[in-house]
Amino acid sequence: MNAPHRAGTAPRLSPDEIRSIIVGLVAAMLLAALDQTIVATAMPTIGLDLGDAANLPWIVTAYLLASTAVTPLYGKLSDIHGRRIMLLIAIATFSIGSILCALAPTMIALALARGLQGIGGGGLIALSQTILADILSAKERARYQVYIAGVFALSSVAGPLLGGFFAQHLHWSAIFWINLPIGLLAFILTNDKLKLLPRNERRHSVDYPGAALLVVSSTSLMLALSWGGVRYPWSSAPVLGLAAFGLLSGAGFAARLATAGEPLIPLSVLRDRVVTSATLAACFAMGTLIGLSIYVPIFLEGVIGLDPSRSGLAMVPLMVGTVVGATLSGRSMAYLRHYKRVPLVLLTLSVGACGLLAAMGHGLPLWLIEILFVLLSMGIGTVLPLSTIVVQNAVAPQQLGIATASMNFFRSLGGALIVAIFGTLVLGGAGGIGDGAAHDMAALIRGADAGQLGQTFRLVFLAACFGLVLALLCLALVEERPLKDSGGHGRDEPDRAG
């Protein structure tokens, strides 16, 4: 166990210690990323086993609501109490939630357990990214972004396969039991070494009224976006009421930011041009990628005519391109002074590839569609590491946690909006939703006319083009401030939170 050090005398972390922490952070991020994909393919089995298919969507909605709402709180609390204790709390909460999910006897119990799991999951990714900023300089950090992109690509490919395998050959509860060894690995690898992390000893307070307004606002808006056009028509009273309540409480949160002595999200962070433009770029890019990953399988099965297994394989290039783009962007940031050039060029290629899919996607051979998927996702992949690093590079050390968490929060909220837009286009183009009933995607594919569905996806790919153009414009507005090449932020003060 590392001996405590007085402030100002903490040693730099050795390469072995850094590698140990990074492996632990990758395991922590894998917990959150895998959980978002492994559940989907097991949902039909869960619904049959628990005998409550009507409330099945709450398995996803409860986690999404909880994880999004608490993300900024983790960032602020980590700035006050240290990263280590908050990350360990997140891992422990997520693991306890996983146990309760696996043992849940009813759908209501499972949804509540998923909410608890989401409370833990909301801190895993944001805190992991913040800890990387603590132990590595901006230039060093750029080289490690490929690991983060790799985690999401791995979870996107392996999650659905594992979920289907566990549900069919073992038991659906195995999709939650698998979190325990991963969580234990993350806990062991980070617990001791994270005691060396910096602690910015400044007096802070948490704006609890502002936090409550943010939670209420984000939860209401996420519910409106999740239910609109799926469970209820967009013009229905529940959706409009939730949207209005979310906007009203959001206005209250904005007023609180302007009047609180120490607001939850510092105004200096929100007013920084780099933070706002980079966050918006990530919002549009990531939201477009999530929307495509959800609805492109319908295009591959209903328009191109692939079976579900071949459709899953055809989605792999979309994930691989993201990792390639993140690698190129991260590596170039470490060596190029004008580090935006590579992302700008590749994101422009993404717009072109998406435009070609919109113009003639239903008539292209599969091999060319796969190449276009790679080009499309490569540009998106370049935005993800760049946005995180430039935001962290722009803020003060004592604001690292809340800045990183806020970026993840707004990216999730914006992603939900873009996914809702894609869903409206797909479901509306396939016949619309007049009765407010939830749509069965498999039934949609079986019942839709291939020609009509092809025209619908012309609009979907055009919407994706528009999203990528907005990401490109926001990225162009990011000021290229020199990346800090010294050691991690404030590494001269050890974290005594333990």
Side-chain angles (χ1 to χ4, degrees):
M1 193 167 186
N2 296 295
H5 296 270
R6 292 177 302 173
T9 64
R12 286 181 176 269
L13 298 176
S14 69
D16 287 340
E17 289 172 329
I18 290 177
R19 277 192 293 269
S20 176
I21 290 175
I22 289 176
V23 172
L25 297 180
V26 166
M29 286 187 285
L30 184 61
L31 273 176
L34 186 65
D35 193 78
Q36 296 176 30
T37 59
I38 197 173
V39 173
T41 48
M43 285 177 65
T45 304
I46 296 174
L48 289 174
D49 189 56
L50 297 181
D52 188 4
N55 290 312
L56 199 58
W58 277 106
I59 297 178
V60 175
T61 304
Y63 183 93
L64 187 64
L65 292 175
S67 61
T68 301
V70 301
T71 296
L73 283 173
Y74 273 107
K76 184 68 173 181
L77 291 172
S78 75
D79 285 337
I80 299 174
H81 302 293
R83 319 288 185 221
R84 172 181 171 269
I85 186 63
M86 296 311 302
L87 181 62
L88 295 183
I89 288 174
I91 294 173
T93 303
F94 187 93
S95 299
I96 293 171
S98 298
I99 295 173
L100 295 177
C101 286
L103 299 176
T106 65
M107 189 66 71
I108 294 177
L110 179 57
L112 292 173
R114 285 284 288 169
L116 179 63
Q117 204 181 26
I119 291 175
L124 293 176
I125 294 175
L127 289 176
S128 297
Q129 291 175 334
T130 306
I131 291 170
L132 282 177
D134 285 324
I135 65 175
L136 300 168
S137 70
K139 287 189 175 181
E140 293 171 327
R141 209 178 315 138
R143 303 187 186 102
Y144 286 93
Q145 291 300 311
V146 63
Y147 295 107
I148 298 177
V151 165
F152 287 98
L154 175 64
S155 64
S156 299
V157 176
L161 296 176
L162 286 173
F165 177 82
F166 288 156
Q168 182 177 355
H169 299 288
L170 298 175
H171 187 264
W172 61 262
S173 61
I175 67 176
F176 300 112
W177 289 122
I178 195 177
N179 292 329
L180 299 186
I182 301 175
L184 181 62
L185 176 66
F187 196 99
I188 292 174
L189 289 176
T190 56
N191 179 38
D192 188 41
K193 297 296 187 293
L194 289 187
K195 292 177 181 177
L196 293 175
L197 283 185
R199 175 85 171 272
N200 293 286
E201 299 291 350
R202 299 186 180 213
R203 298 187 67 178
H204 286 284
S205 62
V206 179
D207 178 21
Y208 289 106
L213 285 169
L214 181 63
V215 169
V216 169
S217 175
S218 59
T219 301
S220 300
L221 290 174
M222 293 286 283
L223 271 178
L225 294 172
S226 300
W227 285 353
V230 179
R231 179 181 284 264
Y232 304 104
W234 283 105
S235 58
S236 65
V239 173
L240 292 178
L242 283 169
F245 187 63
L247 292 174
L248 184 63
S249 52
F253 175 68
R256 183 69 188 176
L257 289 180
T259 57
E262 184 176 349
L264 183 66
I265 304 175
L267 292 178
S268 59
V269 171
L270 294 176
R271 289 170 179 164
D272 192 293
R273 177 180 166 183
V274 169
V275 174
T276 54
S277 53
T279 299
L280 286 173
C283 213
F284 290 121
M286 192 66 177
T288 301
L289 178 64
I290 294 172
L292 290 175
S293 66
I294 291 174
Y295 291 107
V296 160
I298 300 176
F299 168 77
L300 293 172
E301 295 178 38
V303 179
I304 305 300
L306 302 182
D307 57 52
S309 59
R310 290 183 64 200
S311 172
L313 291 174
M315 289 293 292
V316 172
L318 200 64
M319 301 302 113
V320 171
T322 306
V323 179
V324 173
T327 303
L328 292 174
S329 178
R331 296 291 181 181
S332 65
M333 289 186 75
Y335 300 105
L336 298 181
R337 181 172 177 267
H338 297 288
Y339 46 78
K340 287 198 312 182
R341 290 179 178 175
V342 171
L344 287 172
V345 170
L346 290 181
L347 198 54
T348 302
L349 286 177
S350 295
V351 173
C354 200
L356 190 56
L357 286 169
M360 49 193 304
H362 59 283
L364 296 174
L366 183 59
W367 64 267
L368 183 54
I369 292 175
E370 299 285 54
I371 292 175
L372 293 175
F373 281 172
V374 172
L375 293 176
L376 193 159
S377 58
M378 275 178 61
I380 295 175
T382 62
V383 178
L384 305 182
L386 182 142
S387 59
T388 301
I389 291 171
V390 298
V391 166
Q392 293 175 336
N393 189 65
V395 300
Q398 67 270 16
Q399 296 174 336
L400 264 177
I402 188 59
T404 306
S406 297
M407 183 191 66
N408 280 275
F409 168 77
F410 288 115
R411 191 165 66 184
S412 297
L413 205 57
L417 175 60
I418 294 175
V419 169
I421 293 172
F422 279 24
T424 300
L425 291 173
V426 173
L427 298 176
I433 299 178
D435 57 359
H439 266 246
D440 180 357
M441 292 299 178
L444 186 152
I445 295 171
R446 290 193 302 268
D449 174 77
Q452 180 185 358
L453 202 57
Q455 292 301 316
T456 296
F457 271 93
R458 185 188 297 270
L459 295 177
V460 171
F461 286 123
L462 280 175
C465 274
F466 184 64
L468 293 179
V469 168
L470 291 176
L472 185 63
L473 293 175
C474 292
L475 182 62
L477 293 175
V478 175
E479 179 187 347
E480 285 185 315
R481 296 177 187 172
L483 298 181
K484 299 168 185 174
D485 55 5
S486 59
H489 291 280
R491 208 184 300 178
D492 59 335
E493 292 184 42
D495 184 352
R496 297 179 188 81

